[in-house]
Amino acid sequence: MSTRLATGGRLLNKSKALSFSFNGTTLKGFEGDTLASALLANDRVLMGRSFKYHRPRGVVASGSEEPNGLVQMGEGGKFEPNQRVTTTELFEGLKAKSQNHWPSLEYDVGALNAKLSRFMPAGFYYKMFIHPRSFWKHVYEPIIRHAAGLGAAPKATDRDADTYEHFYAFCDVLVIGGGVAGLQAAKAAAASGAKVIVAEQTAHLGGRAVVDGGTIDGQTAEDFVTAITAELEAMDNVTIRTRMMGAGVYDHGYVLGYERLKDHAPEMAGPRHRLWRIRAAQTITATGAIERPLSFAGNDIPGVMLASAIRDYVVNYGVSSGDRTVVVTNNDDAYRTAIALKHAGLDVPAIIDARPAGDDSDLIARAKALGIRVMMGHGIATVQGGKRVTGVEICAQAGEGAVLEEIACDAVAMSGGWSPVVHLWSHCGGKLTWDESQASFRPDPNRPPLGDKGQGFVSVAGAANGETTLAAILADATDCGKEAAKAAGFKAKATKAPVAEDAVERALLPVWLMPQGAGYKLRSKAWLDYQNDVKVSDVQLAAQEGFTSVEHAKRYTTLGMATDQGKLSNINGLAILSDSLNQPIPQTGTTTFRPPYTPISMGSIGGEARGDVFQPIRRTPMYDWHEANGADWEPVGQWRRPYAYVQSGETVHDAVMRETKNTRENLGLLDASTLGKIIVKGPDAGKFLDMLYTNMMSTLKVGKCRYGLMCSENGFLIDDGVVARIDDETFLCHTTTGGAETIHGHMEEWLQTEWWDWNVYVANVTEQYAQVAVVGPKARKALEALGGMDLSADAFGFMEWQDGSLGGFDVRAYRISFSGELSYEIAVPASQGQAFWDALMAVGADLGVMPYGTECLHILRAEKGFIMIGDETDGTVIPQDLGLNWAISKKKTDFLGKRAQQREHMVSDQRWKLVGLETIDKSTLPDGAYAVGEGTNANGQRVMIGRVTSSYHSPNLERGIAMGLVLHGPDRMGEVITFPGTDGKDYEAKIVSPVFYDPEGEKPNV
Amino acid sequence: MSNLISALDKATDNSGIAKIEEIGLQGMITLRGDLSKAAVKKAATSVTGVEMPTLGHANHDGASGLCWMSTDELLVLCPYDQVADTLAKMHTALGKAHALAVDVSDARASLRVSGPNAREVMAKLAPVDLSPEAFKPGMFRRTRMAQVAAAFWMVDDATFQIVCFRSNAQYVFDLLKVAAQNGSEVGFFK
């Protein structure tokens, strides 16, 4: 059984016991435990089930590479699935549940899949579920979705109770990894004065060296780490962050650091995760190496673990993974585990070493001296046991698996060698080279990720760089730190590499399959990818079926596609693939390493953007008044505009109808502040506007306004609005609400890139003004009541503007109308907007004043046949389609869009044109509905002859009115066409003029 | 006028690790022109009493100042009640030179973040190197804060003054409150 030892556990605070629960059972651990070590201490070896076959799974590793130990953590707003037990620090009250099983972890019905595994090889889903086609969606997918999957998704009604944030940091040298290599590289870099950040993903510095032993400058690795950490912490130019993972390396030295602030202490105040967005001139990845499993039958049975992990649990946490541990290896490093176990008083019945007998290295000799039986040239034929290892069957590595001996044990420590963690080096294009002696890919220093000047901006130190001895690791790290400082523009100081000593090791023997000649039966039980249930036989089958590219084989078999992204399985899998394809491993290559290194929380990616600040909401100066007066809000870009002001007892529709009638009969106020206002000034301003608008603006007289259309260079209508000439050199261009920023940008683009020699400056002054549309037959009366300007028709004509004073406010008044009523738009400085609005409401009280919202605005303009950018236009509509030829200058030699509008397709008589549409029964046409003609098109669909662009119920006309684009529309006045609705009903509408209300235009002309 | 209301009517928040305030109305004039021209320089410096700023810098004297916005744009600061006078003086100084000077005081909101953690609070929102050695009083940045445009400078070593669009004032204020939440000290700037 696995249990807590009486001694050991360098990371534990044994004076502080913690209680936690697993699947509802309360268990005990210590401060300093991970959830994995605490579960093992309580003999909870079985932690989960695999994805496909629901095989029993126990923890196999001790760090972020763990594929098996995934649990659901927390409840309600703190619930989170798929958390790795090996990287979850224990805290008081932690609640974890195993996942992917039913009805329980111990008895899982889904495990039947495993019995059927012979019938579910690689590509099974692709082959099985393709016929008949319709079955996939309705039969297969729902069943598979139910059976497969890891943890449950959080409940839709639960909201994450935590907060998250981003942090922008800049440094000269970023060191990822706080092992001895990272710390030494940081020291060498920092000596130059460079600003250094060290990021370590775990809570502890020192990495593997503190467990694996060796001496550095005559001290233990642990003492060395303590000393160098103190040294670094004392430096002003060094920042060390633990619990911060280097998640991804991107272009231009951009690196994401994922800091887990309180996963280990959820009761703390502050954000849970912080995503560091770091710009580093140079990044050093000192990310160490990951031990590889060996591929033998039954290597997935709980109790079979990486040798280094078993060692970590003993040394760091004082936990034995079993009483009797068989070590199986192809290298010397695993002997350290056997020795550590022996020192902890545990039994090691044998070390099974696949290498042929030869000279004993230091470690082999030490193991033998401890009385451990060493079996050279041997391998494991199969592991016995179900939910727990009970023993191993030993065979010759060179053979086909004939059992020579059975050894009873309850744990197996395996080591297939070490693979440098090259992920971060590779994220941004760093290339790899195959190291024959270590049988691993290592970074190729000649092909680093390149920065803006073609310089390498990532370098690798220590074990991540393929170094294997403590001395070489520290020498490499020292050089790397100095070089990085130099590359970041600093003068490196002479820093001596520490002198390190550790055991001299015998060379490793690449072993990709154990035994070498294992038959199908053994191969189909030799796991490569634990989480996704990919076995040696699956990869071989993929190769046989023609999946020769490693990227294809990966997707076909799902090798390395689980949440661990193949940290353990990748190299073993592609070695098997290479062997099947009879090609060397480097020729097969690796799959692509993509960020993040391990999954990061969605919350950290969103950062602060949630709740109130999920998105900016732009508010006009009168926002609070609207809110207090029943505004039903409509998002318009990032603005919130009142759609209607709903009074008590009204529906939103009632309110819209009331506002629409009242504005035509009495007085309406609209908050028009959001409309874009752009100042265009300079000697060439007129020339510039003549190019931007389709009509002539340069001839506009000072004091006058003119409606204008703007097209893109492709001829399509992009914006419209009223232009006022302020003085000889100055115009004020109104744009649509959504167009303010884009049209400002459009103007700047043309001025900066094409007409840079024209003397024009533009400024976006949209928000300088609160603008109120005062609309209706009583508009003049209301403004006269404020007093201060002569508003008579003679003194202030239609399409004119004047600066003046109204009710003591300095205003700029425009007599313009988007409603067909007598109407003024009054601009005041934004900080007086609310006061001005209040004044208008006061003088309007006797005149039947009501504020109105955007829907009323829409109905009023539709009654008049005025187009709306975004309704009548959709990026494919030209002014000619809308009957706006009157606003297209024929005199101008050029304007943006002119040439495009002469293209064959643009002048075709087949273009749909704007008309009004009146339903026969006065109902309202469905917005966006299509009109159908005779016959079908080449695809067998009904022929379309038009579509509705705007549709409303008009309370003034007491009927539905609509505008639409219809084939030959203006030539078909009076014809009735049919619009099938999505409700199954056919709507009949007569083609009419788009001007429904006051066609003579008498109402505003008073 | 007595009816002037700034975007957030001088709201303040002191519940987190930094103090956040909307500081009321500040006179602001956008000046666009060739910044090397004598008339443009004179229009800017004569009304503010400060030197022309260099790239990425701002020169201040109380409520007056000049901020470098781009190669052909300055933000001219003056007391809110002196904007009209200032503009008139600038137009006189500009004479016939091609330039654009326009009042944008009401289009903007001004906020301050202060306290020992002010740098960190700002560094959570703006992609700018705000370490004490990189960003100092006298410097000026036109950048973004989370999802909106903003510009800022340091009034002193522990106080940032932020300019954003008036419509975004509440968003920026709320952002700062989130960034200054208790327990969120980073401890990066030494």
Side-chain angles (χ1 to χ4, degrees):
Chain A
M1 62 184 286
S2 67
T3 188
R4 183 82 68 187
L5 300 166
T7 58
R10 51 180 284 277
L11 300 180
L12 295 185
N13 174 8
K14 285 200 176 170
S15 66
K16 188 154 182 211
L18 301 173
S19 83
F20 68 103
S21 83
F22 182 65
N23 287 343
T25 308
T26 301
L27 303 169
K28 294 275 178 209
F30 291 114
E31 189 177 82
D33 259 325
T34 63
L35 181 53
S37 66
L39 284 169
L40 286 175
N42 286 278
D43 197 25
R44 298 283 166 147
V45 173
L46 177 61
M47 294 184 195
R49 294 269 174 175
S50 66
F51 184 79
K52 188 169 161 189
Y53 302 141
H54 294 241
R55 298 262 301 182
R57 288 284 184 258
V59 73
V60 67
S62 57
S64 62
E65 67 275 27
E66 171 61 29
N68 288 343
L70 299 180
V71 294
Q72 310 184 144
M73 296 269 296
E75 291 170 332
K78 297 254 184 192
F79 174 84
E80 200 168 28
N82 304 335
Q83 297 302 292
R84 277 180 308 281
V85 292
T86 49
T87 56
T88 300
E89 295 176 54
L90 199 67
F91 55 86
E92 178 65 32
L94 179 151
K95 285 192 170 73
K97 283 188 178 136
S98 55
Q99 51 192 33
N100 197 30
H101 53 69
W102 185 84
S104 75
L105 179 59
E106 281 71 24
Y107 305 99
D108 182 6
V109 172
L112 277 174
N113 285 1
K115 305 271 182 227
L116 300 173
S117 68
R118 197 150 64 87
F119 305 106
M120 294 174 73
F124 168 73
Y125 291 136
Y126 299 114
K127 292 165 187 161
M128 177 62 203
F129 296 129
I130 196 159
H131 298 296
R133 287 268 175 186
S134 63
F135 269 44
W136 172 252
K137 187 170 171 192
H138 300 293
V139 181
Y140 299 138
E141 193 187 2
I143 294 173
I144 291 168
R145 288 228 177 272
H146 185 73
L150 296 166
K155 284 202 194 87
T157 47
D158 284 338
R159 289 289 170 271
D160 189 339
D162 286 300
T163 60
Y164 303 84
E165 68 184 25
H166 294 169
F167 187 73
Y168 295 91
F170 296 72
C171 66
D172 301 308
V173 179
L174 169 66
V175 180
I176 300 174
V180 289
L183 296 172
Q184 178 62 24
K187 180 181 164 183
S192 71
K195 188 169 170 178
V196 177
I197 299 176
V198 181
E200 162 56 39
Q201 63 179 349
T202 70
H204 307 281
L205 297 168
R208 285 223 62 81
V210 288
V211 174
D212 292 352
T215 59
I216 305 172
D217 279 345
Q219 323 165 74
T220 63
E222 182 118 35
D223 289 345
F224 170 78
V225 168
T226 308
I228 193 171
T229 303
E231 215 177 318
L232 290 170
E233 276 171 349
M235 297 176 82
D236 278 345
N237 58 331
V238 179
T239 301
I240 301 177
R241 305 297 289 204
T242 55
R243 299 189 176 101
M244 180 153 112
M245 175 183 76
V249 175
Y250 305 85
D251 285 325
H252 305 288
Y254 182 56
V255 179
L256 283 187
Y258 176 61
E259 187 177 26
R260 297 163 67 197
L261 294 165
K262 52 176 216 177
D263 280 351
H264 65 292
E267 77 291 347
M268 266 170 35
R272 178 176 171 226
H273 297 152
R274 178 181 294 134
L275 197 65
W276 288 57
R277 305 172 70 164
I278 304 167
R279 288 274 171 200
Q282 288 287 313
T283 295
I284 296 174
T285 69
T287 44
I290 291 176
E291 194 167 30
R292 292 191 293 261
L294 285 165
S295 302
F296 49 84
N299 64 350
D300 71 323
I301 294 171
V304 180
M305 294 164 67
L306 293 174
S308 58
I310 287 185
R311 188 154 85 236
D312 283 345
Y313 288 117
V314 169
V315 177
N316 284 335
Y317 306 105
V319 166
S320 78
S321 305
D323 297 340
R324 286 167 60 80
T325 305
V326 168
V327 175
V328 55
T329 184
N330 66 344
N331 64 76
D332 267 17
D333 188 60
Y335 284 75
R336 292 194 170 93
T337 300
I339 294 163
L341 289 173
K342 266 288 189 203
H343 282 152
L346 296 161
D347 193 11
V348 181
I351 295 174
I352 317 294
D353 193 327
R355 295 174 292 184
D359 292 340
D360 286 353
S361 63
D362 296 353
L363 286 163
I364 298 174
R366 272 164 63 193
K368 284 184 175 169
L370 285 167
I372 302 173
R373 179 180 172 204
V374 177
M375 302 173 72
M376 303 301 291
H378 286 78
I380 290 180
T382 191
V383 179
Q384 297 163 329
K387 288 175 202 151
R388 188 69 211 257
V389 171
T390 56
V392 290
E393 295 177 354
I394 308 298
C395 62
Q397 168 61 16
E400 292 178 8
V403 178
L404 303 174
E405 183 179 341
E406 290 181 15
I407 301 177
C409 62
D410 55 1
V412 176
M414 62 182 164
S415 178
W418 290 79
S419 299
V421 174
V422 296
H423 300 62
L424 291 150
W425 163 264
S426 304
H427 281 169
C428 207
K431 298 289 185 281
L432 304 175
T433 181
W434 180 251
D435 181 335
E436 207 58 67
S437 68
Q438 292 300 321
S440 65
F441 283 102
R442 61 192 290 181
D444 181 347
N446 297 317
R447 294 182 296 162
L450 298 180
D452 59 331
K453 298 176 195 74
Q455 82 282 20
F457 67 89
V458 180
S459 52
V460 189
N465 201 23
E467 301 300 342
T468 54
T469 67
L470 207 45
I473 285 170
L474 289 165
D476 185 48
T478 309
D479 285 349
C480 188
K482 282 195 280 197
E483 288 303 315
K486 244 175 28 194
F490 291 80
K491 205 161 167 247
K493 284 252 174 69
T495 307
K496 259 182 42 193
V499 179
E501 281 174 42
D502 54 358
V504 178
E505 296 185 21
R506 187 181 152 185
L508 146 160
L509 173 76
V511 171
W512 307 117
L513 185 59
M514 180 175 275
Q516 183 187 302
Y520 179 79
K521 203 174 154 204
L522 294 180
R523 281 183 278 126
S524 64
K525 283 193 183 142
W527 258 255
L528 293 168
D529 187 316
Y530 294 108
Q531 198 177 120
N532 268 0
D533 280 322
V534 181
K535 299 151 294 167
V536 169
S537 55
D538 293 319
V539 173
Q540 288 170 331
L541 181 63
Q544 229 172 63
E545 293 185 357
F547 291 89
T548 53
S549 149
V550 63
E551 296 282 8
H552 292 162
K554 164 181 167 173
R555 283 151 185 83
Y556 191 59
T557 59
T558 73
L559 176 82
M561 286 171 66
T563 61
D564 63 324
Q565 289 285 289
K567 289 187 180 64
L568 298 186
S569 61
N570 246 327
I571 303 295
N572 285 348
L574 59 92
I576 295 289
L577 183 66
S578 303
D579 180 60
S580 306
L581 299 171
N582 287 316
Q583 66 188 23
I585 291 172
Q587 197 176 322
T588 304
T590 66
T591 52
T592 311
F593 296 93
R594 292 190 180 86
Y597 177 61
T598 67
I600 65 176
S601 62
M602 296 301 289
S604 70
I605 296 170
E608 81 297 326
R610 53 187 310 223
D612 286 345
V613 293
F614 172 64
Q615 249 206 343
I617 292 176
R618 298 176 72 183
R619 294 162 166 90
T620 74
M622 290 83 96
Y623 183 94
D624 291 344
W625 189 94
H626 302 325
E627 175 88 356
N629 285 272
D632 187 64
W633 294 107
E634 177 181 38
V636 183
Q638 287 178 329
W639 292 99
R640 286 283 182 282
R641 299 188 72 184
Y643 178 87
Y645 299 82
V646 184
Q647 298 179 353
S648 73
E650 273 186 334
T651 63
V652 174
H653 178 76
D654 293 343
V656 170
M657 295 298 114
R658 171 180 51 74
E659 291 169 11
T660 309
K661 273 186 88 69
N662 185 69
T663 306
R664 288 251 183 262
E665 289 165 10
N666 295 302
L667 178 60
L669 297 184
L670 174 80
D671 181 355
S673 309
T674 60
L675 286 181
K677 302 160 205 80
I678 300 170
I679 298 277
V680 177
K681 189 194 172 204
D684 295 321
K687 179 164 114 178
F688 176 60
L689 293 185
D690 279 348
M691 284 303 292
L692 285 183
Y693 287 93
T694 60
N695 43 348
M696 194 77 94
M697 287 298 171
S698 54
T699 56
L700 185 62
K701 294 200 166 49
V702 173
K704 299 279 187 190
C705 301
R706 186 171 287 166
Y707 174 73
L709 302 175
M710 252 188 232
C711 293
S712 68
E713 60 271 40
N714 288 319
F716 300 116
L717 200 46
I718 55 171
D719 208 78
D720 69 346
V722 169
V723 177
R725 186 152 202 173
I726 307 301
D727 61 37
D728 231 23
E729 285 199 350
T730 311
F731 295 80
L732 186 146
C733 303
H734 285 103
T735 73
T736 58
T737 295
E741 281 75 30
T742 52
I743 296 301
H744 180 224
H746 176 67
M747 289 176 169
E748 280 289 350
E749 184 180 357
W750 283 96
L751 284 173
Q752 290 182 27
T753 62
E754 295 294 327
W755 305 321
W756 49 270
D757 52 340
W758 293 13
N759 283 324
V760 182
Y761 285 117
V762 301
N764 184 353
V765 296
T766 301
E767 294 202 30
Q768 171 69 12
Y769 302 99
Q771 195 147 319
V772 184
V774 184
V775 182
K778 297 174 185 168
R780 183 177 286 136
K781 265 188 205 153
L783 296 179
E784 280 170 351
L786 284 177
M789 288 175 83
D790 182 354
L791 297 151
S792 64
D794 291 340
F796 196 163
F798 186 53
M799 295 307 271
E800 292 180 0
W801 69 269
Q802 291 185 13
D803 280 342
S805 165
L806 282 172
F809 292 86
D810 289 334
V811 303
R812 176 166 287 166
Y814 306 84
R815 189 173 163 198
I816 53 179
S817 177
F818 193 46
S819 55
E821 291 299 323
L822 176 63
S823 158
Y824 301 84
E825 289 196 16
I826 315 292
V828 298
S831 54
Q832 294 171 42
Q834 185 57 56
F836 184 66
W837 181 272
D838 292 341
L840 281 169
M841 287 301 291
V843 296
D846 297 338
L847 303 169
V849 69
M850 286 182 190
Y852 68 91
T854 52
E855 186 63 359
C856 170
L857 168 146
H858 274 90
I859 296 175
L860 294 174
R861 65 92 196 172
E863 287 175 346
K864 286 293 294 175
F866 295 150
I867 63 129
M868 178 70 82
I869 298 292
D871 284 329
E872 276 62 47
T873 71
D874 63 358
T876 70
V877 171
I878 58 175
Q880 291 86 342
D881 297 340
L882 302 179
L884 294 170
N885 302 59
W886 59 268
I888 303 168
S889 169
K890 290 178 188 63
K891 291 187 212 146
K892 292 196 295 189
T893 51
D894 199 11
F895 60 82
L896 292 180
K898 183 180 170 96
R899 239 166 57 124
Q901 287 166 6
Q902 291 164 359
R903 286 179 188 150
E904 194 180 349
H905 179 65
M906 299 297 213
V907 296
S908 160
D909 69 351
Q910 297 298 301
R911 290 188 73 84
W912 295 356
K913 304 246 178 189
L914 187 76
V915 291
L917 296 164
E918 257 183 23
T919 46
I920 305 301
D921 60 0
K922 301 198 175 184
S923 64
T924 306
L925 276 174
D927 202 355
Y930 274 80
V932 291
E934 291 300 318
T936 54
N937 67 13
N939 298 322
Q941 299 157 327
R942 292 285 294 275
V943 163
M944 305 290 180
I945 57 163
R947 65 184 161 87
V948 176
T949 55
S950 296
S951 180
Y952 309 95
H953 177 75
S954 159
N956 296 307
L957 301 164
E958 297 185 326
R959 59 169 306 120
I961 58 167
M963 285 191 270
L965 293 164
V966 175
L967 180 66
H968 302 140
D971 303 330
R972 299 168 70 176
M973 288 294 156
E975 266 184 50
V976 173
I977 54 175
T978 305
F979 293 84
T982 50
D983 54 5
K985 252 177 73 181
D986 277 355
Y987 292 80
E988 307 266 289
K990 190 164 78 178
I991 299 177
V992 297
S993 156
V995 187
F996 295 93
Y997 184 83
D998 186 23
E1000 310 306 322
E1002 284 167 1
K1003 285 205 79 181
N1005 197 15
V1006 290
Chain B
M1 290 177 90
S2 57
N3 51 18
L4 294 168
I5 303 175
S6 62
L8 303 179
D9 207 8
K10 302 195 176 175
T12 63
D13 182 88
N14 213 353
S15 62
I17 62 171
K19 184 178 180 191
I20 303 154
E21 3 166 29
E22 194 255 21
I23 56 166
L25 293 161
Q26 160 74 49
M28 294 185 213
I29 294 165
T30 288
L31 174 62
R32 297 202 61 185
D34 181 342
L35 301 186
S36 62
K37 271 196 185 153
V40 175
K41 282 190 201 170
K42 190 169 170 232
T45 54
S46 65
V47 296
T48 54
V50 300
E51 300 269 294
M52 285 290 277
T54 52
L55 187 153
H57 285 75
N59 295 325
H60 295 279
D61 180 10
S64 294
L66 294 174
C67 312
W68 189 95
M69 295 288 275
S70 77
T71 49
D72 64 357
E73 183 174 343
L74 292 180
L75 179 62
V76 180
L77 303 175
C78 66
Y80 184 80
D81 57 7
Q82 289 170 26
V83 171
D85 281 355
T86 306
L87 256 179
K89 281 181 198 157
M90 287 173 70
H91 281 132
T92 307
L94 284 167
K96 286 199 156 61
H98 169 47
L100 167 62
V102 59
D103 180 9
V104 292
S105 317
D106 283 61
R108 311 277 170 80
S110 297
L111 294 97
R112 278 192 182 176
V113 182
S114 54
N117 296 307
R119 283 181 186 275
E120 287 185 357
V121 169
M122 290 296 289
K124 294 176 187 182
L125 302 171
V128 176
D129 186 351
L130 291 176
S131 55
E133 62 273 20
F135 197 82
K136 299 171 178 168
M139 293 181 174
F140 180 85
R141 269 305 172 101
R142 214 179 156 179
T143 177
R144 69 174 172 83
M145 288 174 66
Q147 301 174 56
V148 298
F152 54 76
W153 66 90
M154 296 190 83
V155 177
D156 57 48
D157 200 44
T159 309
F160 286 83
Q161 185 156 336
I162 301 162
V163 175
C164 67
F165 284 113
R166 183 185 172 108
S167 64
N168 286 324
Q170 188 69 51
Y171 171 76
V172 172
F173 189 84
D174 291 345
L175 270 182
L176 290 165
K177 272 205 307 195
V178 174
Q181 67 173 292
N182 281 311
S184 71
E185 294 92 342
V186 182
F188 180 61
F189 299 130
K190 295 175 184 173

